[in-house]
């Protein structure tokens, strides 16, 4: 993967994670604790899977 493509990939992934994490925080502040935890776990999975596929694919 070229450097510009990698940087674009990281930027898009970072924007997705920021948006998802902010939604989890919003859920927490509005009293939906279990929903917030689930959204946070989805946020972690959404970050881990593309990184795993990028670095460990053959």
């Amino acid at each position: 993967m070229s450097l510009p493509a990698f940087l674009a990939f990281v930027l898009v992934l970072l924007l997705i994670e920021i948006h998802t994490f902010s939604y989890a925080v919003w859920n927490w502040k509005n009293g939906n604790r279990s929903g917030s935890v689930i959204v946070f776990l989805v946020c972690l999975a959404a970050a881990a899977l593309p990184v795993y596929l990028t670095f460990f694919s053959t």
Side-chain angles (χ1 to χ4, degrees):
M1 181 182 289
S2 67
L3 182 61
F6 179 74
L7 292 176
F9 171 74
V10 169
L11 180 64
V12 169
L13 186 60
L14 183 64
L15 291 173
I16 291 169
E17 294 305 311
I18 289 170
H19 185 269
T20 308
F21 187 72
S22 69
Y23 181 65
V25 170
W26 179 82
N27 269 333
W28 187 271
K29 287 181 181 178
N30 286 315
N32 187 3
R33 307 278 193 232
S34 61
S36 178
V37 170
I38 296 299
V39 169
F40 184 70
L41 292 175
V42 168
C43 182
L44 290 177
L49 187 61
V51 170
Y52 176 79
L53 290 175
T54 301
F55 292 113
F56 298 113
S57 65
T58 56

